[in-house]
Amino acid sequence: AMADFAASLLSRAGASDEAARSVAEVLVEGDLLGHDTHGLALLAGYLGELERGAMRGVGEPRVLAERTVAATWDGDRLPGPWLVRRAIDWAQPRAQLHGSATVVIRRSHHIACLAAYLEPVARAGLLLMLTCSDPATASVAPFGGTQAVFTPNPLAVGIPTSGDPVMIDISASITTNGMTNRLKNAGQLGAHPWWLDAQGKPSNDPAVFFTQPPGTLLPLGGVDAGHKGYGMALLIEALTGGLAGHG
């Protein structure tokens, strides 16, 4: 019922029926997996983006390059969940035939909860790796720095097994923008120092992220081992913006 309701709102805001259904199902799946900062909580923002034209509701991704098992698309700001599902549909039969396949998409709109894409592919016997970055914004400083350079840069992997799949969804930052906003709006502190203030001092108060000049999210590993999260972020930048030639 929630997916039907969300899809109807997205359709009324200008998304194609197919795109609206994909977005709604991915958002609901995110909630069901417990990633409720990346579930239906995103719906109002998506509707606003459609109404403003910042998300395109109708269209097709533009193929920039395509080989037997590799493709690069321009997503033209179309709905992210629909684009990711289209990419999986393109890659899955090729991976089953040839062993692996890769699609890189630039200029996609937000793709919501990465874990929400994993289970069907893993249950089909394939390993799916999904990475994401956003060159339009920055909230995470490199290890040792205070100026935001990249986004939390998530990585998700679905691994098939003889039973239930293993599903991993982590980010290169110690927390996310969504959780930061939620804690700040609720007047709550983080469980640990997850942020740096503008002077580079660790803090458990999300409010430091919203000052002028702003603070930043700490990379995964925090003040002790943040070089590891920074390395992971650079890897994801290479797999996304680097391979896409954008950002």
Side-chain angles (χ1 to χ4, degrees), residues 136-163:
T137 187
S139 55
V140 185
F143 183 65
T146 60
Q147 182 177 346
V149 174
F150 44 84
T151 45
N153 287 11
L155 163 73
V157 185
I159 305 169
T161 74
S162 58

Side-chain angles (χ1 to χ4, degrees), residues 57-232:
V58 179
E60 290 289 325
R62 185 161 53 95
V63 176
L64 302 175
E66 184 174 299
R67 301 293 185 268
T68 305
V69 293
T72 307
W73 296 352
D74 188 313
D76 202 21
R77 300 297 292 173
L78 288 159
W82 177 70
L83 285 171
V84 173
R85 283 186 164 188
R86 286 282 297 268
I88 290 171
D89 288 344
W90 186 93
Q92 187 162 335
R94 290 166 170 81
Q96 287 168 326
L97 181 61
H98 297 286
S100 67
T102 302
V103 183
V104 181
I105 308 171
R106 71 186 193 188
R107 296 201 316 130
S108 165
H109 201 276
H110 192 261
I111 68 171
C113 173
L114 272 63
Y117 303 95
L118 303 176
E119 186 171 358
V121 182
R123 289 200 183 278
L126 295 172
L127 186 152
L128 172 64
M129 184 171 74
L130 179 60
T131 60
C132 177
S133 67
D134 184 356
T137 187
S139 55
V140 185
F143 183 65
T146 60
Q147 182 177 346
V149 174
F150 44 84
T151 45
N153 287 11
L155 163 73
V157 185
I159 305 169
T161 74
S162 58
D164 291 329
V166 174
M167 301 198 300
I168 302 165
D169 185 350
I170 56 177
S171 67
S173 62
I174 208 164
T175 190
T176 63
N177 296 324
M179 184 58 71
T180 301
N181 280 291
R182 172 175 291 184
L183 291 173
K184 191 258 187 182
N185 291 337
Q188 296 177 338
L189 301 177
H192 301 281
W194 294 341
W195 302 273
L196 285 180
D197 66 18
Q199 288 71 47
K201 296 178 182 177
S203 176
N204 67 344
D205 186 353
V208 303
F209 188 68
F210 301 92
T211 59
Q212 289 300 326
T216 60
L217 308 181
L218 275 166
L220 191 65
V223 294
D224 295 320
H227 59 286
K228 298 182 180 182
Y230 178 36
M232 179 178 164

